[in-house]
Amino acid sequence: YVALERLESIYKTSLYVDNICVFANSLLTQPVAVVCPNRKAVERWAEDNGVSADGVFASNEQVERLKHEIMRSFDQIAKNNGLARFETMYDIVLDEDEWTPENGCLTAANKLRRKDIESRHQDIINDIYTRASDNNQR
C-alpha cells in the first residue's frame, strides 16, 4: 500500500514543485507523479543552465534535463525522509499549465482532481508503464 497523499506532501517540499499528483499502479513497483513545476524555480534553473525560461518546455531535451533535476531533488527528499524504495518516484510527467479549478485540475476547495489530472496525461503515463514493463521494472 502506498499512501499517495503522504508522498505528495513530502515531495511537494521540493523547490521545483508547485503541485504534485502521485499515482501508483500494480504494473510498477514505484509510483509515478505528474508535477506542476514552480515557475520561479524553473526560471532560475533555466538561467543557471543557459536556457531561456520560455524555451524550457519548447524542447524535449530541455524538458528531460529539467525532469532529471527534479528527480534529483526527489531522490534527496526521499533519502532525507527515510522513504522506502517503493515510495520513491520511478518517473515524473511535467505539466507546464498551472493547476486551477477552472482547468479541472483542482476542486473549488483547491484539492487535486486525481482522475482529471491522470486523464490529461494518460498517454505519457501509459508510455512510462510500457517502458518499465519492457525494462522489467515490475
Side-chain angles (χ1 to χ4, degrees), residues 46-89:
E47 185 179 309
D48 292 346
N49 287 277
V51 179
S52 75
D54 295 336
V56 171
F57 290 99
S59 157
N60 284 342
E61 179 185 343
Q62 298 308 326
V63 169
E64 289 304 314
R65 287 179 63 202
L66 178 58
K67 280 177 55 175
H68 177 77
E69 180 64 20
I70 295 171
M71 287 292 288
R72 201 173 63 74
S73 80
F74 282 2
D75 289 344
Q76 189 60 51
I77 288 168
K79 181 179 177 182
N80 292 347
N81 284 276
L83 297 182
R85 185 171 191 279
F86 71 88
E87 296 173 308
T88 61
M89 289 300 128

Side-chain angles (χ1 to χ4, degrees), residues 14-19 35-47 52-58 66 70 94-100 103 120:
S14 167
L15 66 97
Y16 293 106
V17 176
D18 251 0
N19 221 327
V35 174
C36 179
N38 178 285
R39 295 252 181 244
K40 289 186 189 287
V42 170
E43 288 170 6
R44 268 184 258 121
W45 175 87
E47 185 179 309
S52 75
D54 295 336
V56 171
F57 290 99
L66 178 58
I70 295 171
L94 297 182
D95 186 341
E96 64 180 303
D97 296 328
E98 182 179 356
W99 293 355
T100 65
N103 67 13
R120 283 172 58 126

Side-chain angles (χ1 to χ4, degrees), residues 85-135:
R85 185 171 191 279
F86 71 88
E87 296 173 308
T88 61
M89 289 300 128
Y90 177 77
D91 201 352
I92 60 172
V93 177
L94 297 182
D95 186 341
E96 64 180 303
D97 296 328
E98 182 179 356
W99 293 355
T100 65
E102 291 76 28
N103 67 13
C105 292
L106 301 176
T107 67
N110 286 325
K111 295 192 181 211
L112 296 176
R113 295 184 69 173
R114 193 173 300 283
K115 291 212 181 289
D116 293 321
I117 294 168
E118 183 177 24
S119 68
R120 283 172 58 126
H121 302 284
Q122 193 63 61
D123 290 343
I124 300 170
I125 293 169
N126 287 344
D127 286 346
I128 292 169
Y129 290 140
T130 300
R131 275 196 331 263
S133 178
D134 291 347
N135 292 328

